[in-house]
Amino acid sequence: MISCHEHLGGHERALRAVQAGLDEFPRCTDYEFLRGDILYKLRRYTLAIASFEACLRMGRPPMQLEFLPGCGTHLPAWRLGELYCELEDYGRAVKYYDLALSHKPNLYAALYRSGRALVRLYPDKNEAAEKLLSYFANPKYAPNALMGADILAGEGLYPQALKALEDLTDAGGRESELAYVKGRVLFYQEQLDNAAPLLELVCRTPEP
C-alpha cells in the first residue's frame, strides 16, 4: 500500500500507511526507512534526518519483520550521507558514508560519493586524495589502486590519480585495466601523445 500510494503521488497517504504499520509493528525498521525515504524525496530534510537516525537506533528488525534488508544498517547511513552531501555539509556526509561502508564494505557507490565529499571538504587536494586512499587497507594493491585512481580522476584530481597508479608495486595481471585508467587520466589532461599508446594497447588486448 505504501509503495502504491507513493507511485501514484499520494505521499501523505503513503506516510499515513507507514504510521499505521508502525503502530501495529513498532519494531519494523523497514517502515521507518520508507518514511524517511518519502520525506527525503519530498525534500523535507529535517524530518527525513530524524527518520533515518531512528532507523539506525532501531537497528535490524526481527527476521519475520524484515522485507528490505539493510534498513537498520547501511541504507539509512547511505541516505544520510547523500542528504548531507546535497546540503553541502560534507563533514557529516563523510561520517555517514563511512558508517554505511562499515556495515557494507562493498557498497562502492558510498566510496565514490565519499571521494566527492572529501574533495570538497579538504582544500588541499593532496590531503583529500590521502584521506580517500586511506579507505583501502593496501592502496598499492592493484584493484584498490585502480578504484582509488578512478575515483580521483572522476573528481578532477588527475596528478593524484596518476600517483596512485605509479605507487603500484604489482599490476597483478591487470595491466590492461591499468593502461586504460592511466590513458584516460592522461587524455583528460590533454596529454594525447602519452595517452594514445596506452589506449591503443587496451584495444589490442584480447578479451579474457
Side-chain angles (χ1 to χ4, degrees):
M1 287 176 63
I2 295 164
S3 298
C4 288
H5 282 314
E6 187 184 3
H7 181 73
L8 293 170
H11 302 295
E12 295 305 323
R13 288 184 178 181
L15 290 170
R16 285 197 294 272
V18 167
Q19 188 56 57
L22 281 168
D23 290 342
E24 187 72 23
F25 302 104
R27 297 178 63 194
C28 183
T29 314
D30 302 43
Y31 284 136
E32 190 63 56
F33 177 79
L34 288 175
R35 172 155 57 194
D37 207 37
I38 293 167
L39 292 167
Y40 178 39
K41 291 171 183 173
L42 292 173
R43 304 179 72 86
R44 292 159 68 175
Y45 291 150
T46 303
L47 292 172
I49 288 169
S51 195
F52 290 137
E53 288 179 344
C55 290
L56 293 172
R57 289 194 300 272
M58 293 167 72
R60 185 175 178 180
M63 184 172 60
Q64 66 271 26
L65 296 178
E66 184 177 40
F67 56 95
L68 294 173
C71 286
T73 55
H74 69 276
L75 287 178
W78 160 255
R79 287 288 197 276
L80 284 164
E82 291 289 87
L83 196 156
Y84 279 118
C85 205
E86 194 167 330
L87 294 173
E88 299 185 5
D89 187 342
Y90 299 116
R92 282 193 176 92
V94 169
K95 169 189 169 183
Y96 283 108
Y97 287 138
D98 287 355
L99 181 58
L101 287 164
S102 74
H103 287 297
K104 190 174 183 180
N106 65 344
L107 186 61
Y108 299 127
L111 189 57
Y112 274 79
R113 295 290 290 174
S114 187
R116 170 161 292 191
L118 286 168
V119 167
R120 286 153 181 77
L121 186 61
Y122 293 97
D124 184 333
K125 300 313 176 189
N126 288 324
E127 185 178 5
E130 185 179 341
K131 293 285 185 183
L132 172 67
L133 295 175
S134 71
Y135 281 89
F136 302 102
N138 179 9
K140 295 184 180 182
Y141 175 56
N144 295 343
L146 285 164
M147 182 175 289
D150 190 51
I151 296 170
L152 293 169
E155 298 304 321
L157 273 63
Y158 305 128
Q160 293 82 359
L162 287 175
K163 186 177 186 307
L165 296 175
E166 289 164 0
D167 286 345
L168 265 174
T169 53
D170 181 10
R174 293 174 176 258
E175 288 80 6
S176 179
E177 292 175 63
L178 178 61
Y180 170 71
V181 175
K182 189 172 182 179
R184 185 160 59 89
V185 173
L186 291 169
F187 176 81
Y188 291 153
Q189 289 185 302
E190 299 184 0
Q191 297 184 36
L192 304 185
D193 290 341
N194 294 326
L198 292 168
L199 297 175
E200 287 170 358
L201 175 64
V202 177
C203 293
R204 292 196 302 269
T205 303
E207 290 289 335

